[in-house]
Amino acid sequence: SVIASITAHRTVLGTRRIEALLCDMSRAVLASDLPARAPAPVSRPVADAGLAVLSKRELLLTTALSNFNTHGYHEASIEEIGVAAGMTASSVYRYFASKADLLAALFYRTSERLSVITADALAESPDSATALRNLADRYVTSAFTHPELLSIYYAEFANLPQHERKNLRALQQQHIDQWTHLVTTELPDLPTVDARFRVHAALGLVLDVGRLIRFDFSPCSRARVVALMLAVLLAEPHSSTIETGSTS
């Protein structure tokens, strides 16, 4: 997951420094002292276990999320989403002009969740180290509660309309910048661009490991993923990582 994370973002860094960074992060993962494994998996909370949502727009978003996650964006259709929501295709268009608009709405919903998570974590943290731990804990809990949202966020970005991609990249960058600031506060000698690589690797790790353990919601499993995130974010840099090199 750490090594493959460089394919999930567009941050640019010299090849030798990327290699050093990946080695640092990978060693940190291998050396992590994780909490003992939970005795049995715990199912995540069921989103539809409570009362039904009356808002047709919210119902369509929930249904689209399930369809996009199960079938993929291209295979899902407005007609299928409408039927699953108990509506006709023409009724769907009253709320969303196109399937792409439905997808964009889900991305904005994810961005809003991340903003709330970040604000709450920072509000209860007296220092950057505590903030990183609180933020990682909240991020993992949210990701394991809504894994479909996280999966679509990573898998379907290229299917957004171009103007939405631009807007959402700006929002994503704000989120990455907050993590990056906390990391560089804890590791002041680490260049900002190196910290961004670490943040992308740590966030991607949550989805990859989550899938591996089927998003086991036990406190122990979530604590193990948080520990892996912090290991990646705060791994002590090898000397070659911070040497002056080619960057863009």
Side-chain angles (χ1 to χ4, degrees):
S1 177
V2 166
I3 294 169
S5 66
I6 59 174
T7 66
H9 60 92
R10 304 192 299 175
T11 308
V12 178
L13 193 60
T15 301
R16 292 183 63 185
R17 284 177 64 186
I18 290 176
E19 290 176 353
L21 266 173
L22 293 178
C23 286
D24 288 345
M25 292 187 290
S26 297
R27 290 191 192 100
V29 168
L30 291 171
S32 294
D33 185 14
L34 300 181
R37 192 181 296 273
V42 176
S43 299
R44 63 188 174 92
V46 180
D48 58 357
L51 298 176
V53 176
L54 295 180
S55 166
K56 294 294 187 183
R57 187 178 188 278
E58 288 299 316
L59 180 59
L60 284 170
L61 284 172
T62 302
T63 306
L65 174 63
S66 177
N67 274 257
F68 292 158
N69 184 61
T70 303
H71 306 295
Y73 174 77
H74 289 295
E75 296 301 320
S77 69
I78 286 289
E79 289 74 16
E80 291 172 339
I81 292 169
V83 168
M87 302 168 63
T88 62
S90 59
S91 296
V92 175
Y93 290 120
R94 295 177 188 173
Y95 300 93
F96 297 97
S98 66
K99 187 171 68 169
D101 284 343
L102 259 172
L103 181 63
L106 289 173
F107 270 78
Y108 283 112
R109 176 63 51 84
T110 303
S111 181
E112 290 166 3
R113 287 184 186 275
L114 294 177
S115 295
V116 171
I117 287 169
T118 302
D120 288 348
L122 294 176
E124 64 184 28
S125 303
D127 52 58
S128 57
T130 306
L132 268 177
R133 180 168 291 279
N134 287 339
L135 188 50
D137 183 68
R138 287 177 179 273
Y139 184 86
V140 170
T141 297
S142 178
F144 276 42
T145 303
H146 307 281
E148 300 90 352
L149 205 54
L150 188 64
S151 296
I152 290 172
Y153 192 73
Y154 274 92
E156 304 293 357
F157 191 85
N159 291 314
L160 289 167
Q162 186 172 359
H163 70 284
E164 298 289 16
R165 269 182 276 168
K166 182 178 179 180
N167 292 338
L168 283 160
R169 275 203 182 97
L171 292 174
Q172 183 191 52
Q173 188 59 55
Q174 293 174 19
H175 180 64
I176 297 297
D177 285 347
Q178 183 61 69
W179 285 84
T180 300
H181 172 72
L182 294 174
V183 171
T184 53
T185 300
E186 286 301 296
L187 299 173
D189 291 332
L190 187 72
T192 299
V193 66
D194 296 45
R196 288 199 186 100
F197 269 81
R198 292 185 181 221
V199 171
H200 282 292
L203 297 179
L205 180 148
V206 176
L207 178 59
D208 292 335
V209 176
R211 284 172 170 164
L212 185 67
I213 63 176
R214 299 185 180 183
F215 297 99
D216 172 22
F217 204 74
S218 68
C220 177
S221 287
R222 284 180 284 141
R224 289 164 70 89
V225 178
V226 169
L228 289 172
M229 287 189 78
L230 294 175
V232 168
L233 292 169
L234 299 175
E236 285 299 322
H238 186 271
S239 58
S240 63
T241 304
I242 58 174
E243 67 184 3
T244 301
S246 173
T247 61
S248 302

